[in-house]
Amino acid sequence: MLSIRLNPQAEKELKEIAKFEGVSVSDYVRKIINEKLEDMYDMKLAEEAHMEYINDPETFSHDEVGKMLGIK
C-alpha cells in the first residue's frame, strides 16, 4: 500500500480527471504510474540499443534481414 500527500489543487485536479475518465482516483493513479514505468523501461531499452549500435554500428538492409530469416 502506498500513501501520498498532494496539495489541495493537485488533489482536486486529480479527482476531476479520474471522474472524467470514469475511474476511481486509485485506479487512475495506478494507470498513470504504470504508463510512466513502461515509458521509462522503453527509454532504458532504447538507450541500451543505441549504445549497442554505437559500439558496433553494423547494419543490414530490409532485404538482407529477409534473406537471413529465409523470407526472401
Side-chain angles (χ1 to χ4, degrees):
M1 184 170 150
L2 176 67
S3 176
I4 61 170
R5 295 187 195 279
L6 300 173
N7 66 53
Q9 182 62 33
E11 183 177 359
K12 179 180 179 235
E13 291 173 7
L14 182 60
K15 287 178 180 178
E16 288 174 0
I17 294 170
K19 183 177 179 181
F20 177 79
E21 293 285 327
V23 296
S24 69
V25 170
S26 292
D27 285 342
Y28 184 71
V29 169
R30 205 172 4 262
K31 175 186 169 208
I32 60 177
I33 288 172
N34 284 332
E35 287 174 357
K36 180 65 175 179
L37 290 173
E38 288 174 5
D39 289 347
M40 291 173 63
Y41 181 71
D42 290 344
M43 285 298 298
K44 181 178 184 256
L45 290 179
E47 289 170 1
E48 288 173 359
H50 183 248
M51 288 308 300
E52 184 178 320
Y53 171 76
I54 295 297
N55 292 329
D56 182 14
E58 183 178 10
T59 60
F60 302 95
S61 71
H62 185 270
D63 289 336
E64 289 171 321
V65 172
K67 288 176 185 173
M68 288 177 199
L69 296 174
I71 297 172
K72 294 185 177 192

